[in-house]
Amino acid sequence: MKLEVAEAVARGYPPSVLYLRNDDVVETEVCAFNYFSTFFKGSPEAQVHVWLFDRDGTQVGYFDKELGLDGQLQLKTSQLCSSISGTVAVTLMPKGEAKVRPGKRVTTGYYGQYYSQQGAISLSHEREPVTLTEFPTPAWAQTYLSKFVEQSGVIVINPCMAPGCDSMGTARLIALDGAVLAEQKLPKIRPMGARRIDTLELFPDARQLVGSAVTFALEISGANLASPFSFYQFANGKFSLHHF
C-alpha cells in the first residue's frame, strides 16, 4: 500500500524536499542509501519512499523500494513522470524500531542529481523536511555573476502541507554594498509546489540596476518557503543549481 506523506511525518520520519525537473533540458535522479545499516546494526533493513508533485503541489507519482543491508537507490524520476517540474519528497524508514534518540536524525541521506541533456551534472542534498505546520522563512541571500544575469534565476519551494498554507515571499535585488536595488513579491505557491523564476522575470531592469558591478545578490524571505536554489541555464542547454 502507498504510504501517505502525512503518515511518514506522524511516524517521525518526515520526507525531505528536493527540486524536481524532467523536460527536454534537465532530468532528475534521486539517490539514497540505507544509512540504518551503518548506524543501527540490529535494524539493517529499510524502505525508501518517494513522492513526486507538480508545480502546483498535486501528487503525480509514488515509488517505494526495500533496501537491505547497505542497500542503495538510483531512481530516474523520468521513468515515473517524463515531463514534470515541481518537487520530490524522499524518506527512509527502518523496517523495525530503530530507537533513534529524540532530535537525532541523519540529515543528508538523499540527493538529487540533475543531468543536462548537454552533459552537465548538478548535485543537491536535501535540506528542508515536509512540515504540517506553518513556519517563517528567514532572509536567504545568494550572489550571482552579473555577466550571467540573463541566464540566472531562483527556484522556490513550499514544503508546508498544512491545509491552505500557500507560501508568501519577497525577493530583493541586492547590490554589493548591501543596498536594496529593487523589491518584488513572489507568486504564491501551493503546498508541495515549486516555481522556477528567471531573475529578469522578477526584475526586468536588473541589468541596468546592477550596472558595472561584477556580482549582485538575490534575497528571498517570507513564510512557508524552503531555502531556495539559485540556478543558471544557458542557451546551449547547460544547467546548474545550488542551495542558497
Side-chain angles (χ1 to χ4, degrees):
M1 294 179 63
K2 292 182 179 180
L3 181 71
E4 299 295 331
V5 173
E7 182 180 351
V9 175
R11 290 172 62 179
Y13 297 92
S16 296
V17 181
L18 293 159
Y19 177 57
L20 172 69
R21 181 178 176 184
N22 291 320
D23 54 25
D24 58 354
V25 177
V26 176
E27 180 183 35
T28 303
E29 181 178 88
V30 170
C31 302
F33 71 99
N34 182 2
Y35 50 73
F36 292 107
S37 298
T38 302
F39 297 103
F40 303 98
K41 300 300 184 183
S43 302
E45 295 184 347
Q47 191 157 13
V48 63
H49 301 268
V50 181
W51 298 264
L52 279 65
F53 300 85
D54 67 13
R55 68 194 301 269
D56 295 318
T58 300
Q59 186 173 332
V60 293
Y62 173 80
F63 175 87
D64 68 332
K65 180 181 179 180
E66 292 189 7
L67 299 182
L69 181 67
D70 297 326
Q72 300 181 43
L73 171 72
Q74 288 182 289
L75 173 67
K76 292 185 179 296
T77 58
S78 59
Q79 296 175 354
L80 302 176
C81 297
S82 60
S83 181
I84 201 77
S85 289
T87 63
V88 54
V90 186
T91 193
L92 189 70
M93 303 178 69
K95 298 296 290 292
E97 291 298 323
K99 296 182 180 180
V100 181
R101 287 181 295 163
K104 300 296 183 182
R105 283 289 183 272
V106 176
T107 56
T108 54
Y110 330 115
Y111 297 81
Q113 294 194 105
Y114 303 91
Y115 291 89
S116 163
Q117 302 299 332
Q118 301 300 320
I121 301 175
S122 291
L123 175 97
S124 173
H125 64 82
E126 68 10 279
R127 287 278 287 272
E128 261 74 26
V130 173
T131 177
L132 302 181
T133 57
E134 296 181 83
F135 65 93
T137 299
W140 292 87
Q142 175 67 45
T143 57
Y144 296 75
L145 291 172
S146 299
K147 64 181 180 179
F148 295 138
V149 63
E150 295 176 355
Q151 290 79 29
S152 68
V154 63
I155 295 165
V156 283
I157 292 172
N158 179 3
C160 176
M161 293 194 74
C165 284
D166 292 349
S167 70
M168 300 177 63
T170 300
R172 295 181 179 87
L173 185 70
I174 308 292
L176 284 176
D177 62 1
V180 177
L181 302 175
E183 182 174 307
Q184 182 65 262
K185 291 293 183 183
L186 292 169
K188 291 184 178 181
I189 303 173
R190 296 181 61 185
M192 299 307 294
R195 290 289 184 278
R196 186 179 72 249
I197 311 171
D198 293 340
T199 300
L200 293 185
E201 182 180 347
L202 284 169
F203 304 107
D205 298 329
R207 181 166 291 283
Q208 290 74 28
L209 292 169
V210 171
S212 60
V214 175
T215 64
F216 67 94
L218 290 180
E219 179 191 275
I220 305 295
S221 61
N224 301 329
L225 289 170
S227 56
F229 292 90
S230 62
F231 75 87
Y232 292 106
Q233 179 174 314
F234 299 95
N236 64 1
K238 296 286 187 178
F239 176 83
S240 67
L241 83 167
H242 298 279
H243 270 296
F244 270 31

